[in-house]
Amino acid sequence: PIINLKQMLESSVELYGDEIAFYTKFKKGPYETRTYKDVFNDVNGLGTALVSRGMKGKRIAVIGETTYMWGIAYLATVCGTGIVVPLDKELPYDDLKYLINEAECSAVVFDKKREATFVKMMEEGDTGLELLIAQDRRESTDGIISQWELIDEGKVLVEGGDRSFLDAEINSREMSIIIFTSGTTGMAKGIMLSHRNIVADLMVSPTLVDFKPSDIFFSVLPIHHTFECTCNFIMPLYKGGTIAHCEGL
């Protein structure tokens, strides 16, 4: 039984710490691996850095291709920082700006293809954005913060005794996730979800499908989709499986 995503991740690390959690690619070439311990340390590093930069209790959007860094940003936000807002990477500029304002986002974590979009949005100044965080950049430049550097920054803080994220308490009934509808019948609407909503799905799913720690899940669908995010991202982490990211169709 699990009560929230933070506790789910902690228990999975205890059970499967040295097992492979992800097959992923950060550049062209063979797949690289990340263990459950690697995931845990990266989540704790990023979460601690976000809290130290004033993001505690705030809304953070995550957008981009299905990647390891997207997953780390999602978990670091929802497991002790604030409220995560997954966004559709295919939306046009005006729609994205509307959703950033509608969800009252203070930060956005994006991939390389979306960088110019949010730089423009920040420059226009009529959103509540405070931080622009790039998944792909290895160094912070031009007002854009590297997610990689944030992870390292947070790890240093943790080593120095900062437990602001590690000891964060999760209220499983409070809104922690905002997922927007596709907008087929009008403007997209924000669906307010809690940890309790997500873990209820996680615990009932294995009664329908036999998940094993030896299973490898091939992640193909856009990760902001509820099905993909729950069943091909969080579910494997709950059951000790491995996630392999599709490079494209």
Side-chain angles (χ1 to χ4, degrees), residues 55-143:
M55 289 295 111
K56 182 67 177 177
K58 295 187 177 182
R59 287 97 181 273
I60 300 174
V62 184
I63 186 171
E65 304 294 333
T66 302
T67 63
Y68 176 78
M69 297 300 273
W70 193 104
I72 296 301
Y74 180 101
L75 290 172
T77 300
V78 81
C79 290
T81 299
I83 298 165
V84 69
V85 186
L87 294 176
D88 184 351
K89 60 184 174 60
E90 303 299 338
L91 288 176
Y93 179 83
D94 288 344
D95 287 359
L96 283 175
K97 188 171 184 179
Y98 170 81
L99 297 184
I100 287 289
N101 280 323
E102 184 73 5
E104 301 178 353
C105 294
S106 299
V108 57
V109 185
F110 49 80
D111 62 2
K112 189 175 182 179
K113 290 182 181 179
R114 261 51 63 170
E115 185 172 301
T117 294
F118 292 102
V119 169
K120 178 184 176 182
M121 207 177 289
M122 190 81 155
E123 289 174 347
E124 289 179 351
D126 47 1
T127 68
L129 289 176
E130 302 170 32
L131 296 181
L132 299 183
I133 303 168
Q135 299 172 19
D136 305 297
R137 288 198 182 202
R138 296 290 179 146
E139 295 180 354
S140 302
T141 54
D142 305 321

Side-chain angles (χ1 to χ4, degrees), residues 4-9 43-44 56 74-82 165-166 168-170 195:
N4 58 59
L5 296 178
K6 186 182 186 74
Q7 182 248 336
M8 179 276 291
L9 185 59
V43 167
N44 288 339
K56 182 67 177 177
Y74 180 101
L75 290 172
T77 300
V78 81
C79 290
T81 299
F165 179 82
L166 299 181
E169 293 187 7
I170 304 294
H195 281 256

Side-chain angles (χ1 to χ4, degrees), residues 9 20-26 32-44 46 62 64-76 109 135-136 138 147-148 151 155 219 223 233 237 243-246:
L9 185 59
I20 296 172
F22 287 94
Y23 285 111
T24 193
K25 296 190 178 186
F26 301 108
E32 299 180 38
T33 60
R34 289 292 186 273
T35 67
Y36 277 80
K37 286 181 180 177
D38 293 331
V39 173
F40 190 60
N41 291 333
D42 287 346
V43 167
N44 288 339
L46 181 58
V62 184
E65 304 294 333
T66 302
T67 63
Y68 176 78
M69 297 300 273
W70 193 104
I72 296 301
Y74 180 101
L75 290 172
V109 185
Q135 299 172 19
D136 305 297
R138 296 290 179 146
Q147 185 178 344
W148 293 86
I151 290 171
K155 288 179 178 178
S219 184
I223 196 168
F233 168 45
L237 295 179
I243 302 159
H245 291 134
C246 177

Side-chain angles (χ1 to χ4, degrees), residues 189-211:
K189 301 171 183 64
I191 310 302
M192 301 179 290
L193 301 176
S194 66
H195 281 256
R196 182 181 172 91
N197 295 141
I198 302 299
V199 300
D201 284 344
L202 293 182
M203 286 190 291
V204 75
S205 295
T207 67
L208 304 173
V209 181
D210 186 17
F211 295 103

